[in-house]
Amino acid sequence: MRRNIILILVLLGLAVVASHARKTRVVPQNVALATFPDNIGQWRVVEKTLFDEPVLKVLRASDYLMRSYADPQGRQLGLYVGYHDGGPDAGPIHSPRNCLPGSGWELLDSRPMTVGSVHLVRATYQKEHTGVIYYYWYQMRDQSLTSDFALKTAEFRGILLHGRRDASFIRLHVSRRYEQEADALASDFIRKAYPLLRAYLPS
């Protein structure tokens, strides 16, 4: 009996969330990501990538940027930011835990990491002879989140309390050939870039 009551309450809660989700508003980012700086401290942009239409249809981000930056020693890292404005045309954020293995990448290790106020995941993936270290997190307003569950929980709370479910996915990647210094490179970039990114994304 008690189990049935709990199940009914859960179903009612999901119904309320679904009802509110249909009424969520579009929340545009503060500034278009295309205007994000090419120079961030010692880091200089060396490549900008634009996705083709098939990729954009799968991604369903409201705005995005994909760039490579290099430091004075020529060491590079990649930056991806995907913003989803919460409107009907914005799809869900795709978790690396699902997307990368589905593309043939093997997860070698994964652990939480903190850089300043940013909570993130550090994950190493390998595909044939290519190895990459990813540093990623979900940004929902002023929170950096590291799990799909935390993202969904924050999304439900935002729907119920504010009628919005906008969120961003932020990811850096560093080649495993820089493995010994990858954490230092990523941390340096995040400390410089994160305050700038926060000005682009709604709070």
Side-chain angles (χ1 to χ4, degrees):
M1 181 69 177
R2 183 178 180 183
R3 190 174 298 174
N4 290 338
I5 293 174
I6 293 174
L7 178 59
I8 291 171
L9 291 174
V10 169
L11 292 174
L12 285 173
L14 291 174
V16 169
V17 169
S19 175
H20 281 269
R22 288 194 292 270
K23 303 173 186 175
T24 54
R25 56 193 172 94
V26 172
V27 182
Q29 73 269 37
N30 299 333
V31 188
L33 290 172
T35 66
F36 192 70
D38 291 345
N39 301 327
I40 301 174
Q42 66 176 342
W43 297 90
R44 303 289 182 267
V45 73
V46 292
E47 184 179 8
K48 297 181 180 181
T49 301
L50 296 177
F51 296 139
D52 58 23
E53 200 60 36
V55 172
L56 291 175
K57 285 183 178 179
V58 173
L59 192 63
R60 293 180 63 193
S62 309
D63 195 11
Y64 76 94
L65 70 79
M66 181 74 173
R67 296 182 180 178
S68 293
Y69 286 83
D71 70 1
Q73 288 73 45
R75 298 170 297 190
Q76 294 189 23
L77 56 75
L79 170 67
Y80 169 77
V81 181
Y83 177 67
H84 299 248
D85 65 16
D89 296 329
I93 293 175
H94 298 278
S95 170
R97 293 180 177 275
N98 300 322
C99 294
L100 290 173
S103 302
W105 290 87
E106 178 188 1
L107 176 63
L108 301 183
D109 65 70
S110 178
R111 60 177 173 81
M113 180 174 166
T114 302
V115 178
S117 62
V118 181
H119 303 284
L120 56 91
V121 176
R122 180 197 191 276
T124 305
Y125 284 86
Q126 186 80 23
K127 184 177 183 180
E128 297 178 350
H129 302 296
T130 302
V132 180
I133 303 170
Y134 287 101
Y135 302 84
Y136 68 87
W137 69 94
Y138 308 107
Q139 186 76 32
M140 181 162 274
R141 295 179 286 282
D142 298 322
Q143 290 183 288
S144 55
L145 309 170
T146 60
S147 72
D148 299 343
F149 178 78
L151 175 64
K152 290 300 180 185
T153 300
E155 183 179 273
F156 288 162
R157 187 184 304 117
I159 291 170
L160 291 173
L161 298 179
H162 309 290
R164 55 185 286 193
R165 58 187 181 94
D166 50 291
S168 303
F169 177 65
I170 302 172
R171 185 196 70 204
L172 280 71
H173 70 268
V174 179
S175 170
R176 287 192 71 190
R177 68 175 178 269
Y178 303 131
E179 189 159 17
Q180 298 302 315
E181 50 198 338
D183 288 1
L185 294 175
S187 296
D188 179 69
F189 187 87
I190 290 169
R191 287 192 178 95
K192 292 179 171 67
Y194 185 68
L196 302 175
L197 275 173
R198 290 295 299 114
Y200 279 70
L201 304 174
S203 57

